[in-house]
Amino acid sequence: MHEMSICEGILQVLEKEAGRQGFQRVKGVWLEIGPLAGVEAEALRFCFDAVVRGSLAEGAQLEIIEIPGQGVCLQCDQSVPVRQRFDPCPVCGGYGVRITHGEELRIKELEVE
Amino acid sequence: MVQIEQDILGKNDQYAAANRSWFRAKGILALNLVSSPGSGKTSLLTRSIQDLKGRYPLAVIEGDQQTSHDADRIRATGVSALQINTGKGCHLDAHMVGHAIESLGLAEKSLLFIENVGNLVCPAAFDLGEAHKVAILSVTEGEDKPLKYPDMFHAADLMILNKIDLLPYLDFDLALCLDYARRVNPGIEILQVSARSGEGLDAWYGWLAARMAS
């Protein structure tokens, strides 16, 4: 459900940037989202179309770039891929993996006119 | 094309940072209590307030989609409580909490409990400016809740396992539950309590006292 708030957050950023950078319309939005950001890409697409209706980004294309999850195992010190928070370290089997990438939830770039 | 590289929750995080520095300046300990509906959050809170109200100035912010039932229960203890109804929303955000603390008139060095909307998903993503998230889980839920909702248990510094007086009547696997919680968050502290019988509450009050002192 909070994908709706996330989309409202995106729209606020777009409106602020439009004022600052002097563009009138947004035609495309590129987001970077990690698997541990707590956001469902499909739900986000669904909400995005609804939230931007009647705004400067009505009809904008939403592109989602998935950032792979990564962490460092606190036990064996290896850099390892992470898909879910409770995954054990694939090298030593320990559970103390500190997340370094995968929690990203940010707007990378915009196509504007 | 324009590069902007902005965090989508950046605005919430700015409000949260403002709340946090305000709490720090006033010496207020703010805790964000999160759980699923029915974990006994409000019962734990009313019991804690009864036991602690001589020790610190206390205040409560209650988040629910509808009704002021929880704030009414808190006010019945004589402590000031402010209800935020989120309407369709599934979580409190830092902006709502900023408004609430303006109207609560908090005393310096008080202990502020922010009872979030009963939801183990969305509140994990929204920093309110609290010192700690405290996740409350009850033994009438499944022992695998920490694995099913890992973001929340990962974000919490303390897990309170409530309703332990009911353990003899349930098939709840306590050791497995604690193991699951530590898988998603190796550093999490865990306290086992019963808000009803009072068992384990001294450890909870000790945890609070240590943080109030710092």
Side-chain angles (χ1 to χ4, degrees), chain B residues 13-187:
Chain B
D13 292 344
Q14 283 168 18
Y15 284 119
N19 292 349
R20 185 166 284 118
S21 60
W22 191 84
F23 291 140
R24 195 164 294 153
K26 297 252 178 190
I28 293 168
L29 177 67
L31 301 176
N32 182 359
L33 308 184
V34 292
S35 82
S36 42
S39 64
K41 235 180 4 270
T42 313
S43 298
L44 177 67
L45 208 46
T46 50
R47 173 75 192 243
S48 303
I49 287 168
Q50 298 286 8
D51 294 344
L52 296 173
K53 69 182 170 185
R55 279 194 234 177
Y56 323 105
L58 300 170
V60 177
I61 296 172
E62 281 289 341
D64 281 298
Q65 279 200 312
Q66 297 294 342
T67 83
S68 61
H69 291 178
D70 281 359
D72 297 342
R73 280 173 70 187
I74 302 295
R75 282 191 208 108
T77 67
V79 162
S80 65
L82 192 122
Q83 181 80 46
I84 301 177
N85 282 139
T86 57
K88 301 264 184 294
C90 48
H91 57 268
L92 294 177
D93 65 40
H95 189 222
M96 298 174 190
V97 169
H99 279 307
I101 57 182
E102 275 172 22
S103 43
L104 260 177
L106 293 169
E108 295 212 356
K109 300 196 188 328
S110 45
L111 172 54
L112 172 66
F113 295 106
I114 305 169
E115 186 179 339
N116 218 313
V117 179
N119 174 352
L120 281 175
V121 186
C122 314
F126 291 83
D127 183 7
L128 305 179
E130 72 275 357
H132 304 281
K133 279 193 181 69
V134 177
I136 296 149
L137 179 67
S138 62
V139 298
T140 51
E141 303 171 59
E143 57 270 310
D144 55 354
K145 277 264 167 88
L147 290 192
K148 285 180 169 169
Y149 301 95
D151 293 327
M152 189 59 88
F153 291 89
H154 183 79
D157 295 318
L158 173 67
M159 174 174 112
I160 296 183
L161 190 63
N162 192 20
K163 308 189 190 180
I164 55 164
D165 53 315
L166 297 178
L167 278 172
Y169 312 103
L170 303 167
D171 296 325
F172 188 86
D173 188 334
L174 182 63
L176 190 60
C177 178
L178 305 187
D179 177 46
Y180 285 158
R182 292 192 175 110
R183 283 191 200 180
V184 296
N185 184 352

Side-chain angles (χ1 to χ4, degrees), chain A residues 14-74:
Chain A
L14 300 184
E15 286 168 345
K16 202 174 85 199
E17 287 298 311
R20 185 186 297 172
Q21 304 201 31
F23 54 81
Q24 271 78 50
R25 261 183 54 70
V26 177
K27 294 172 69 181
V29 178
W30 275 257
L31 303 182
E32 284 183 326
I33 297 183
L36 307 171
V39 172
E40 243 349 283
E42 280 320 303
L44 200 62
R45 284 182 204 286
F46 179 81
C47 294
F48 182 77
D49 290 341
V51 167
V52 299
R53 204 164 293 152
S55 77
L56 79 171
E58 174 150 5
Q61 196 71 26
L62 186 67
E63 300 290 341
I64 295 176
I65 304 160
E66 288 181 24
I67 307 278
Q70 220 184 342
V72 174
C73 176
L74 299 178

Side-chain angles (χ1 to χ4, degrees), chain A residues 1-2 5-6 10 12-13 17 21 30-31 36 38 85-86 95-96 105-112, chain B residues 1-9 11 88 90-91 122 125-126 147 150-151 154 182-184 186:
Chain A
M1 217 16 230
H2 79 279
S5 320
I6 304 277
I10 296 172
Q12 283 171 356
V13 172
E17 287 298 311
Q21 304 201 31
W30 275 257
L31 303 182
L36 307 171
R85 291 208 189 273
F86 49 83
Y95 281 100
L105 178 58
R106 64 171 175 248
I107 307 176
K108 185 173 166 55
E109 55 189 1
L110 307 175
E111 186 185 351
V112 301
Chain B
M1 299 295 283
V2 292
Q3 306 279 324
I4 61 170
E5 302 280 350
Q6 284 203 30
D7 280 333
I8 295 168
L9 291 174
K11 194 159 181 200
K88 301 264 184 294
C90 48
H91 57 268
C122 314
F126 291 83
L147 290 192
D151 293 327
H154 183 79
R182 292 192 175 110
R183 283 191 200 180
V184 296

